[in-house]
């Protein structure tokens, strides 16, 4: 072989971009004393943001954000259950290009990692939902805005500059539900996410109840939410005619499939049902015209059922049988977690607390960095697993770890 051929081959190889990175990285030293990160750029994993958020927040707000319900068995299970599944990497696949884009309910998304609805974000940072929207825009991720948003939906939509999904807690008292549906439609939302895992008013939130006994009352002002304002209007109306507003609200928030049908009929937007864990309910979601499902236990904040979301996912995917997309949330902290969910049949994954840790510590920059880290890890997982596209990820890339010596 001539010298010139060697040179041509070498240059071609360089141009394919398959080399050079190793120098300078091969001796990277990853150990070191733990310390709080001083800027979003210093974070190596999304978990670095949690202590930074704790430092930045009032104790009451951090307690509310981090807690689960009762013994917090479900909260812990959400993380532990990722070890029930292991990845089955395939080697020697051309993964120089990885593509994380997908089509979901008529939208073309560049990432399967979505921002879950979290209420009252002004409690975590002055930028609140607007900072999150700007970060979601810069990183091009889909944001789901809570009905309990601190900021009006139209303003969040403007800051995002692209479609959002709007989450609602449905009510039997349809005028309140219709109010939120119209608001979502006029803000240009791409879908309604109906959360069904909190039945009546939330209960079992013992950590925050204990906290309230010695709460600093000055902190109440930052909890206000747009949903709360509408709720307060309803409370005043109930009081004016001598009814117990809390009892009324609790009853109104106990939904059933008939109410789902009414909500389905009350909007032309796609309807996503969030908070499903059992295959039987997934089957009913399809029967009642839902356009997608989010497998979720509300980040361990609904009931303390011990059912991790990732453990519940396969049953729901089986029941949905490809008729509608299945999304999942609760406990996702690593790119490999996201990969496992997609391999088990999820179309996308939502994250909750991690982006709020980013918001609390560094505002918009923190949220952007959380999204960069997670998507970066997920891209690494795709390369390691030999899957250049989301369509290439399937059940052959994951298996369930057998229980040892148990029944
Ligand atoms: C502080 C907090 C507030 C939340 N608010 C809402 C909400 O308003 N609507 C909703 O559907 N889910 C809400 N969730 C649940 C999230 O959408 C999501 O299901 C959960 O946070 C995912 O778990 P992760 O935090 O472990 O990622 C909230 C969760 C937290 C932690």
């Amino acid at each position: 072989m001539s010298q010139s051929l060697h040179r041509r081959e070498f240059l071609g190889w360089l141009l394919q971009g398959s080399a050079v990175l190793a120098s300078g990285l091969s001796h990277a030293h990853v150990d070191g004393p733990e310390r709080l990160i001083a800027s979003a750029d210093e974070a190596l994993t999304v978990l670095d943001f949690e202590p930074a958020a704790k430092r930045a927040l009032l104790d009451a707000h951090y307690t509310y954000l981090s807690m689960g319900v009762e013994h917090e068995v479900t909260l812990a299970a959400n993380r532990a259950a990722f070890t029930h599944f292991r990845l089955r990497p395939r080697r020697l696949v051309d993964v120089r290009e990885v593509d994380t884009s997908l089509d979901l309910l008529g939208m073309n998304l560049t990432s399967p990692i979505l921002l879950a609805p979290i209420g009252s974000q002004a409690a975590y940072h002055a930028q609140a939902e607007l900072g999150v929207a700007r970060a979601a825009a810069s990183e091009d991720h889909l944001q789901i805005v809570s009905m309990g948003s601190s900021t009006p939906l139209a303003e969040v939509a403007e800051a995002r500059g692209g479609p959002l999904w709007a989450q609602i807690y449905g009510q039997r008292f349809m005028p309140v539900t219709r109010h939120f549906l119209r608001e979502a439609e006029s803000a240009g939302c791409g879908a309604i996410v109906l959360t069904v895992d909190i039945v009546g008013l939330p209960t079992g939130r013992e950590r925050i109840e204990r906290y309230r006994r010695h709460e600093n009352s000055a902190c109440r002002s930052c909890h206000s939410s747009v949903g709360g304002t509408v709720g307060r209007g309803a409370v005043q109306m109930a009081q004016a005619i001598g009814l117990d507003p809390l009892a009324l609200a609790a009853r109104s928030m106990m939904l059933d499939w008939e109410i789902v049908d009414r909500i389905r009929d009350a909007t032309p937007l796609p309807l996503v049902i969030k908070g499903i864990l059992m295959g039987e309910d997934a089957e009913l979601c399809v029967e009642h015209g839902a356009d997608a499902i989010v497998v979720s236990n509300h980040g361990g904040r609904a009931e303390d059922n011990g059912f991790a979301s990732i453990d519940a996912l396969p049953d729901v995917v089986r029941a949905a049988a490809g008729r509608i997309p299945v999304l999942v949330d609760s406990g996702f902290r690593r790119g490999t977690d996201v990969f496992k969910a997609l391999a088990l049949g999820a179309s996308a994954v939502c994250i909750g607390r991690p982006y709020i840790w980013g918001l609390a510590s560094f505002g918009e920059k923190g949220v952007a960095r959380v999204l960069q880290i997670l998507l970066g890890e997920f891209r690494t997982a795709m390369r390691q697993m030999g899957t250049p596209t989301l369509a290439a990820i399937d059940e052959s890339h994951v298996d369930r770890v057998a229980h040892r010596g148990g029944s």
Side-chain angles (χ1 to χ4, degrees):
M1 227 182 282
S2 73
Q3 277 297 328
S4 66
L5 181 56
H6 280 309
R7 197 175 302 119
R8 251 202 332 272
E9 279 178 343
F10 179 68
L11 284 173
W13 176 67
L14 272 185
L15 283 172
Q16 284 173 29
S18 54
V20 274
L21 285 175
S23 65
L25 290 185
S26 53
H27 299 295
H29 188 66
V30 290
D31 296 325
E34 272 192 37
R35 68 178 182 87
L36 285 177
I37 52 173
S39 74
D41 292 341
E42 279 182 30
L44 297 175
T45 95
V46 303
L47 298 169
D48 288 335
F49 287 96
E50 184 171 12
K54 188 167 193 230
R55 171 187 57 189
L57 290 174
L58 292 172
D59 280 351
H61 291 175
Y62 178 74
T63 301
Y64 183 71
L65 176 64
S66 57
M67 72 183 191
V69 286
E70 298 185 0
H71 285 291
E72 303 190 334
V73 172
T74 314
L75 181 71
N78 279 338
R79 285 301 303 143
F82 283 103
T83 62
H84 299 168
F85 300 92
R86 59 189 177 188
L87 296 174
R88 301 186 68 249
R90 297 297 309 279
R91 305 300 187 208
L92 299 168
V93 179
D94 181 354
V95 286
R96 285 170 299 173
E97 304 291 332
V98 293
D99 178 0
T100 60
S101 68
L102 71 154
D103 288 319
L104 191 60
L105 301 185
M107 295 173 71
N108 184 254
L109 305 178
T110 56
S111 163
I113 302 168
L114 279 47
L115 300 165
I118 301 265
S120 304
Q121 293 179 10
Y124 309 111
H125 195 279
Q127 293 174 1
E129 289 82 5
L130 296 179
V132 174
R134 289 193 294 266
S138 69
E139 304 306 312
D140 201 12
H141 284 245
L142 181 68
Q143 178 184 9
I144 310 175
V145 181
S146 166
M147 174 171 154
S149 170
S150 317
T151 317
L153 193 57
E155 288 176 30
V156 187
E158 198 185 325
R160 174 63 181 84
L164 309 159
W165 289 0
Q167 176 266 329
I168 64 166
Y169 290 108
Q171 305 255 341
R172 305 187 82 88
F173 183 54
M174 281 300 284
V176 173
T177 301
R178 280 202 203 92
H179 169 92
F180 285 105
L181 294 176
R182 295 297 88 79
E183 197 189 3
E185 289 157 15
S186 60
C189 289
I192 297 292
V193 178
L194 174 67
T195 300
V196 298
D197 55 13
I198 303 290
V199 183
L201 298 175
T203 53
R205 300 183 165 189
E206 293 159 17
R207 270 214 274 154
I208 197 68
E209 289 309 325
R210 284 183 213 292
Y211 204 93
R212 281 199 179 114
R213 293 183 180 167
H214 58 96
E215 176 196 352
N216 160 16
S217 60
C219 122
R220 275 218 172 271
S221 57
C222 53
H223 297 162
S224 65
S225 69
V226 179
T229 313
V230 176
R232 273 192 295 283
V235 164
Q236 280 159 3
M237 280 192 284
Q239 276 166 338
I241 51 173
L243 296 174
D244 174 359
L246 274 187
L248 211 61
R251 282 182 70 78
S252 186
M253 289 171 71
M254 292 181 190
L255 307 187
D256 53 41
W257 288 106
E258 193 193 325
I259 303 296
V260 171
D261 292 341
R262 290 172 72 180
I263 295 173
R264 165 68 296 169
D265 292 344
T267 178
L269 291 176
L271 184 68
V272 181
I273 300 190
K274 173 173 182 275
I276 297 296
L277 292 171
M278 301 293 122
E280 301 92 302
D281 285 337
E283 186 66 53
L284 287 166
C285 285
V286 177
E287 275 175 32
H288 287 267
D291 296 283
I293 293 170
V294 184
V295 174
S296 171
N297 55 35
H298 218 102
R301 294 160 81 89
E303 68 281 314
D304 210 12
N305 56 39
F307 232 107
S309 273
I310 192 77
D311 273 338
L313 176 65
D315 192 28
V316 172
V317 167
R318 238 184 327 271
R323 291 172 289 177
I324 56 174
V326 175
L327 288 70
V328 59
D329 77 19
S330 298
F332 287 79
R333 306 291 181 259
R334 286 284 190 180
T336 43
D337 299 341
V338 177
F339 191 97
K340 284 177 185 175
L342 267 55
L344 291 168
S347 297
V349 163
C350 310
I351 55 162
R353 294 180 187 86
Y355 82 86
I356 298 294
W357 298 333
L359 177 72
S361 16
F362 305 107
E364 173 187 340
K365 280 198 181 125
V367 180
R369 183 77 186 124
V370 163
L371 294 173
Q372 285 160 10
I373 290 173
L374 261 187
L375 187 64
E377 287 183 355
F378 177 61
R379 291 172 68 85
T380 301
M382 285 177 74
R383 280 194 294 271
Q384 286 296 124
M385 299 299 296
T387 51
T389 62
L390 298 192
I393 303 173
D394 64 25
E395 68 276 8
S396 72
H397 295 105
V398 71
D399 69 9
R400 189 176 254 283
V401 178
H403 286 290
R404 278 166 197 250
S407 50

